[in-house]
Amino acid sequence: MSFNLLKGKKGIIFGALDSNSIAWKTAERVHEEGGEFVLTNAPVAMRMGQINELAEKTGSQIIPADATNVEDLQNLIDKSMEILGGKIDFVLHSIGMSINVRKGKHYTDQNYDWTQKGTDVSAMSFHKLMQTLYKSDAMNEWGSIVALTYMAAQRVFPDYNDMADNKAYLESVARSFGYFFGRDKNVRVNTISQSPTPTTAGSGVKGFDGFIAYADKMSPLGNATAMDCANYTVAMFSDLTKRVTLQNLYNDGGFSNMGVSDAVMSTFTGEEQ
């Protein structure tokens, strides 16, 4: 169902890889709500995914960009404004990567070159993106910037490894840069902390199926899906949330406020609930 929440709005969506990704679902929902956008991802990720299919479906253009490279980001923003015919109303940062996770290196035995690369891709890229947008005065007043995060930024999930540190850094950048973007440009910056979601990136985490099952049993509403996150992001891009900024917003079925649930307790007591 469409409400035309984003009619006339224009933006950039980072990180759409395939139909499982939250960025992909968000692009589809933004399109349904009347928004126009440019799609972007790193060249290597674009070779792995099916972004051309999404571009055709949504009538969007693709601009490859390495989000850790300021020159690439500047080119992306300049070309996006040319394509879209003006300043930008919304941006989705849906980027995360840990070589340590991918290569099975334990948190207590990191390869720090890999750690630094993961931090640059997953978190510092958000600062580089916003700094480039800010210096270029590329955002319309009351625009909205959203980055996707996970609760491992606040609580220990051992196998999430250095991605937990990356997400904590990402959330800090959102608050710190969000202050200046709000004060100087009337632009809002928020993060959405999503339930564990079966995406291509998430599936690389050891024990991820266990994460999903545990979170689902803990959450009174169950896990939020990729489409739930897409809908929440659309709401954050819309004018209905004009004064929401500097927030880490939980979209997790209530998991973040739970201590324990009957369903989880029953696995230890053997009693059916």
Side-chain angles (χ1 to χ4, degrees), residues 225-263:
T225 65
M227 185 57 76
D228 291 329
C229 191
N231 285 327
Y232 200 178
T233 305
V234 164
M236 294 308 301
F237 286 165
S238 79
D239 290 336
L240 299 178
T241 54
K242 279 177 73 170
R243 291 226 162 43
V244 180
T245 196
L246 313 185
Q247 302 301 308
N248 183 44
L249 302 160
Y250 291 99
N251 186 51
D252 62 2
F255 178 89
S256 49
N257 271 328
M258 291 297 294
V260 72
S261 68
D262 293 336

Side-chain angles (χ1 to χ4, degrees), residues 98 100-104 159 197 199-208:
S98 166
N100 284 306
V101 168
R102 201 165 66 218
K103 301 262 191 186
D159 291 325
T197 309
T199 62
T200 301
S203 62
V205 178
K206 180 183 174 185
F208 195 70

Side-chain angles (χ1 to χ4, degrees), residues 5 15-16 30 37 55 68 82 93 96 115 120 129 136 184-185 187 212 232 236 253:
L5 288 176
V30 168
F37 48 85
T68 68
E82 285 178 23
H93 179 283
T115 303
D120 199 14
L129 168 61
S136 301
D184 299 337
K185 313 278 190 183
V187 169
I212 293 175
Y232 200 178
M236 294 308 301

Side-chain angles (χ1 to χ4, degrees), residues 22-215:
I22 293 171
W24 184 294
K25 294 280 195 295
T26 301
E28 290 178 330
R29 286 294 294 118
V30 168
H31 177 65
E32 288 168 4
E33 293 295 338
E36 298 176 60
F37 48 85
V38 164
L39 293 165
T40 185
N41 212 327
V44 64
M46 290 178 63
R47 289 195 295 273
M48 291 166 52
Q50 298 100 40
I51 195 170
N52 289 322
E53 176 188 328
L54 179 63
E56 187 175 342
K57 181 177 181 180
T58 59
S60 306
Q61 292 194 43
I62 305 167
I63 303 175
D66 175 355
T68 68
N69 184 299
V70 173
E71 289 183 1
D72 272 20
L73 289 171
Q74 188 67 64
N75 177 66
L76 168 67
I77 290 162
D78 291 344
K79 285 191 174 177
S80 294
M81 287 195 289
E82 285 178 23
I83 291 166
L84 298 170
K87 291 188 181 183
I88 295 160
D89 299 293
F90 60 85
V91 177
L92 175 64
H93 179 283
S94 179
I95 306 170
M97 183 274 292
S98 166
I99 304 174
N100 284 306
V101 168
R102 201 165 66 218
K103 301 262 191 186
K105 289 289 281 184
H106 195 269
Y107 186 77
T108 60
D109 183 34
Q110 292 186 35
N111 177 315
Y112 290 117
D113 289 337
W114 295 351
T115 303
Q116 191 168 22
K117 179 64 175 174
T119 300
D120 199 14
V121 170
S122 305
M124 196 177 294
S125 65
F126 193 40
H127 192 287
K128 291 176 180 178
L129 168 61
M130 287 199 285
Q131 180 170 291
T132 309
L133 289 164
Y134 182 90
K135 286 184 172 182
S136 301
D137 194 25
M139 296 293 296
N140 272 321
E141 194 174 33
W142 302 112
S144 176
I145 301 170
V146 171
L148 301 185
T149 184
Y150 180 54
M151 196 177 172
Q154 287 83 35
R155 300 188 189 176
V156 177
F157 291 81
D159 291 325
Y160 206 62
N161 209 313
D162 57 330
M163 275 302 298
D165 302 330
N166 294 339
K167 292 300 188 185
Y169 183 12
L170 178 85
E171 291 175 18
S172 180
V173 168
R175 289 187 295 271
S176 298
F177 218 120
Y179 167 73
F180 296 105
F181 243 134
R183 184 195 69 181
D184 299 337
K185 313 278 190 183
N186 279 341
V187 169
R188 56 205 196 271
V189 180
N190 297 282
T191 53
I192 294 177
S193 187
Q194 168 72 1
S195 295
T197 309
T199 62
T200 301
S203 62
V205 178
K206 180 183 174 185
F208 195 70
D209 289 345
F211 275 16
I212 293 175
Y214 171 71

